[in-house]
């Protein structure tokens, strides 16, 4: 069982899913394609239909402190104009139409956190990501949905400020710190006795550091009753260099090569219990073929 014994009632759905499956499939921003737009209710529904156990999503605050389902800095692609969501109030923002995957205007408007929460399938888990600057606001908004506590997982930067906030917050959401180096890992491990509902750990590992990705490394995480999360995502490049999230193992290697050698299968073989992908249907097929 993952997480502390005192939080098992909250973590019940997460643990039940992991008892039934070798690992859980997280769908990055939901499944977005053609007229299905990322981080929308439709993207969430389609992700579940295609086999995802978890939807990873993002929130951004508006000027009037509402939360909308937008990844920070995606305004140019989603609205086909240069705007800043955080400088607009919700009414202004919802007067705009979203643009789809082929760059055409749609009749769709940005989803609010409230609308999103009202439409979560009962058997789906949600990862809330990208909340570096507004974690207190996210917690306050999610507190309005106590009946969905067992579905909500929050990914956080492993900062002292975040850990102090989570320890003092009365509602104990499932928490997944994002660790990028040894200091992040050490700082998180010093907090494990705090009143925080840690259930997992996202490891972001560049290819040049992938030698640390051993069974012993992940066993250390398991020993603390945490479920490791690995990313298969291909997020593009920066300065001519591919952005690497889990060594050399990623979605593209899985789709066009042998996933058991260079992709999802290798991630799963290390004992990772959540794999984040843009291709949930294909990952589900691999999971059924090799692991179930």
């Amino acid at each position: 069982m993952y997480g502390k014994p005192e939080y098992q009632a909250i973590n019940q759905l997460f643990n039940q899913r992991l008892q039934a499956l070798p690992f859980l499939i997280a769908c990055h921003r939901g499944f977005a394609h053609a007229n299905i737009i990322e981080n929308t209710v439709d993207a969430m529904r389609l992700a579940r239909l295609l086999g995802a156990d978890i939807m990873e999503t993002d929130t951004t605050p508006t000027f009037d402190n509402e939360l909308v389902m937008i990844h920070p800095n995606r305004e140019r692609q989603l609205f086909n104009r240069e705007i800043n969501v955080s400088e607009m109030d919700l009414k202004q923002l919802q007067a705009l139409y979203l643009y789809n995957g082929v760059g055409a205007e749609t009749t769709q408007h940005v989803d609010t956190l409230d609308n999103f929460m009202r439409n979560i399938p009962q058997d789906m888990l949600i990862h809330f990501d990208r909340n570096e600057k507004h974690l207190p606001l996210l917690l306050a908004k999610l507190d309005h949905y106590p009946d969905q506590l067992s579905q909500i997982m929050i990914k956080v930067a492993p900062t002292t400020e975040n850990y102090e906030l989570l320890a003092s917050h009365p509602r104990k959401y499932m928490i997944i710190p994002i660790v990028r180096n040894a200091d992040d890992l050490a700082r998180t491990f010093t907090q494990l006795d705090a009143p925080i509902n840690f259930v997992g750990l996202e490891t972001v590992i560049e290819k040049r550091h992938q030698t640390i990705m051993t069974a012993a490394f992940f066993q250390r995480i398991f020993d603390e009753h945490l479920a490791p999360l690995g990313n298969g995502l291909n997020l593009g490049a920066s300065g001519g260099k591919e952005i690497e999230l889990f060594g050399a193992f990623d979605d593209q290697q899985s789709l066009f090569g042998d996933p058991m050698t260079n992709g999802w299968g290798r991630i799963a073989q290390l004992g990772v219990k959540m794999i984040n992908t843009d291709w949930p249907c294909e990952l589900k097929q691999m999971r059924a073929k090799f692991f179930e």
Side-chain angles (χ1 to χ4, degrees):
M1 301 290 280
Y2 297 100
K4 300 175 185 177
E6 59 264 39
Y7 302 129
Q8 286 308 312
I10 297 170
N11 306 341
Q12 184 177 16
L13 176 62
F14 179 55
N15 278 305
Q16 283 177 344
R17 300 303 291 273
L18 276 176
Q19 284 178 327
L21 296 164
F23 60 85
L24 303 186
I25 297 168
C27 191
H28 180 229
R29 306 183 197 177
F31 192 84
H33 181 66
N35 213 47
I36 306 298
I37 301 170
E38 66 181 51
N39 284 328
T40 59
V41 168
D42 283 348
M44 172 174 58
R45 288 170 172 161
L46 188 54
R48 187 72 190 103
L49 193 64
L50 294 176
D53 309 290
I54 303 165
M55 176 178 171
E56 184 190 57
T57 191
D58 311 285
T59 56
T60 297
T62 62
F63 185 74
D64 51 348
N65 280 329
E66 297 296 335
L67 286 178
V68 291
M69 312 307 292
I70 292 179
H71 189 288
N73 304 315
R74 287 283 291 167
E75 290 95 337
R76 183 69 182 83
Q77 293 86 351
L78 293 171
F79 295 100
N80 195 33
R81 63 187 71 197
E82 298 295 340
I83 61 172
N84 185 333
V85 165
S86 295
E87 296 175 355
M88 304 175 67
D89 63 37
L90 182 61
K91 185 176 180 180
Q92 290 175 310
L93 191 61
Q94 290 196 309
L96 304 178
Y97 293 113
L98 291 169
Y99 279 67
N100 65 20
V102 296
E105 185 179 81
T106 71
T107 59
Q108 302 173 56
H109 302 280
V110 64
D111 266 320
T112 62
L113 176 65
D114 288 331
N115 186 57
F116 189 84
M117 293 300 296
R118 287 193 294 266
N119 286 280
I120 297 174
Q122 290 185 350
D123 62 345
M124 194 168 202
L125 295 157
I126 303 295
H127 282 178
F128 285 96
D129 197 9
R130 308 301 300 193
N131 51 64
E132 293 91 343
K133 297 179 181 179
H134 63 275
L135 181 58
L137 179 61
L138 177 62
L139 293 174
K141 296 289 188 182
L142 291 175
D143 283 349
H144 290 99
Y145 299 93
D147 292 342
Q148 291 167 290
L149 180 61
S150 63
Q151 295 179 266
I152 297 169
M153 312 178 85
I154 303 176
K155 295 164 65 175
V156 299
T159 65
T160 300
E161 180 182 19
N162 281 347
Y163 289 151
E164 289 177 349
L165 173 64
L166 293 167
S168 63
H169 195 77
R171 190 155 285 148
K172 299 304 175 182
Y173 296 99
M174 291 180 282
I175 300 299
I176 302 176
I178 306 168
V179 299
R180 301 175 183 273
N181 51 52
D183 288 343
D184 288 346
L185 189 63
R187 190 180 307 111
T188 297
F189 278 7
T190 64
Q191 297 291 322
L192 293 180
D193 290 333
I196 300 172
N197 185 13
F198 293 114
V199 296
L201 200 68
E202 178 175 359
T203 54
V204 178
I205 302 172
E206 293 184 16
K207 184 177 179 180
R208 62 197 173 104
H209 297 312
Q210 75 177 52
T211 53
I212 72 169
M213 293 161 53
T214 64
F217 173 82
F218 289 101
Q219 187 60 50
R220 186 181 177 197
I221 298 172
F222 293 136
D223 288 344
E224 300 295 346
H225 305 286
L226 301 175
L229 183 154
N231 284 286
L233 307 176
N234 297 99
L235 295 181
S238 177
K241 182 179 181 296
E242 291 288 333
I243 298 171
E244 297 162 345
L245 299 178
F246 203 84
F249 311 133
D250 58 40
D251 283 352
Q252 258 174 255
Q253 294 285 349
S254 304
L255 293 167
F256 297 111
D258 178 4
M260 297 302 292
T261 303
N262 293 311
W264 301 320
R266 288 288 291 116
I267 299 174
Q269 287 165 1
L270 287 166
V272 169
K273 293 300 180 182
M274 293 173 278
I275 299 178
N276 195 20
T277 182
D278 283 312
W279 303 94
C281 185
E282 289 78 6
L283 178 51
K284 183 182 180 183
Q285 290 173 355
M286 189 220 69
R287 183 177 68 183
K289 181 176 180 180
F290 293 104
F291 291 93
E292 293 181 19

